[in-house]
Amino acid sequence: MLETPEDVRRVLAQQIAAGELRPGQRLGAERTLAAEFGVSRATLRQALATLEEGGMIRRVPGRGGGTFVTREKIERDLSTIQGIPALLRSQGVTAGTHVLSARLAEPDDAAGQALRMRPGELVVDLLRIRLADGSPFSLEHARLPARRFPGLLELPLGGSVYELLAEHYGAGPHEAVERIEVAIATAEQAALLDVPAGAPLLAITRTTTDSDGDPIEFSRDLFRGDRTRVVVRSGGGAQVVERHPSVVPA
């Protein structure tokens, strides 16, 4: 018989560990769960709060919200140049992409400087949502020099941009400099990434260069903090992975 919040927490934790409750699965309503365990809603809430603090569940307020089993965190290895879809597949996660916008635009100061743009030059401005097992994982804003890649907007941009660069322009990523910081989700970003406004995001600003040292991409990517773990390997030096036509871009 369950009596205390710790009793309820232990049972739910065991169900999650055993796979009876799967990552991303929505738990029942509080009233239903309390009746199922034979405890008060106050006791249930204490148990859920402890599980949330431990990162095993997350509670989303508002219409369409609820209590969900936390999905496995995806490791983002900064020691390699690896595209997000390839990264997801390597960890057994199904990758997907929604292209929000693709256009020619004037670069902002940061992009212009990183890409060594000349006055009046334009960039291919690409905004995409990356999906992991069907749910938003990251919001990517990439800028590429339009003079270097004419006609890029006419190509399918829902897949691998690096692959397109290799196949159509003979270019590819050789080195990347990435800067990491914590950002707070705005209301718009939160809606796109399916997180509460104000949720922590991992912001990675990346400048990618080709084998000649010329910049080919400037990107600022926002990763969900509840689904991302950063890994950096040292001692053996960084390496570039999947730098061939099957590479899938960040």
Side-chain angles (χ1 to χ4, degrees):
M1 180 177 179
L2 305 182
E3 296 181 351
T4 68
E6 176 58 22
D7 293 334
V8 178
R9 185 208 66 78
R10 186 180 302 111
V11 170
L12 285 171
Q14 289 173 347
Q15 291 177 346
I16 293 172
E20 297 174 25
L21 296 174
R22 300 180 303 279
Q25 180 175 339
R26 182 176 180 174
L27 304 184
E30 287 187 358
R31 182 181 293 104
T32 302
L33 287 174
E36 178 182 334
F37 291 126
V39 297
S40 68
R41 293 180 68 177
T43 297
L44 175 70
R45 286 173 183 154
Q46 292 181 53
L48 294 178
T50 303
L51 287 170
E52 186 174 31
E53 289 176 3
M56 298 192 74
I57 65 170
R58 66 184 184 99
R59 289 186 284 183
V60 179
R63 181 178 298 180
T67 303
F68 300 86
V69 178
T70 301
R71 295 180 184 272
E72 293 290 336
K73 287 200 173 185
I74 296 165
E75 293 193 345
R76 175 73 163 82
D77 190 344
L78 297 184
S79 307
T80 64
I81 301 178
Q82 185 177 29
I84 295 302
L87 173 73
L88 295 176
R89 288 198 304 269
S90 71
Q91 298 180 44
V93 179
T94 301
T97 302
H98 285 328
V99 178
L100 298 179
S101 66
R103 62 193 179 98
L104 291 177
E106 294 184 359
D108 57 24
D109 291 342
Q113 182 176 359
L115 295 174
R116 304 174 195 164
M117 304 292 291
R118 302 166 186 161
E121 289 186 329
L122 300 178
V123 294
V124 173
D125 189 295
L126 180 60
L127 188 64
R128 299 184 293 182
I129 294 177
R130 293 298 198 183
L131 306 176
D133 285 339
S135 66
F137 169 61
S138 67
L139 176 63
E140 300 180 345
H141 188 189
R143 273 65 58 88
L144 303 95
R147 63 177 167 80
R148 178 78 183 273
F149 307 117
L152 181 59
L153 286 175
E154 300 172 10
L155 301 176
L157 298 174
S160 167
V161 169
Y162 288 169
E163 180 180 341
L164 295 179
L165 300 186
E167 290 183 350
H168 295 271
Y169 306 96
H174 181 72
E175 291 184 351
V177 175
E178 298 186 296
R179 293 178 171 84
I180 312 167
E181 59 186 336
V182 175
I184 301 301
T186 65
E188 181 180 3
Q189 293 164 351
L192 292 172
L193 289 171
D194 192 24
V195 297
L201 303 175
L202 189 65
I204 300 181
T205 302
R206 178 178 63 258
T207 301
T208 308
T209 54
D210 62 14
S211 58
D212 294 324
D214 295 325
I216 60 173
E217 176 199 31
F218 176 76
S219 181
R220 179 175 168 83
D221 304 336
L222 298 174
F223 293 84
R224 285 178 46 161
D226 63 336
R227 300 202 61 192
T228 310
R229 179 185 297 115
V230 172
V231 176
V232 178
R233 306 178 193 279
S234 59
Q239 65 181 41
V240 178
V241 298
E242 292 197 24
R243 288 171 47 209
H244 50 73
S246 63
V247 79
V248 185

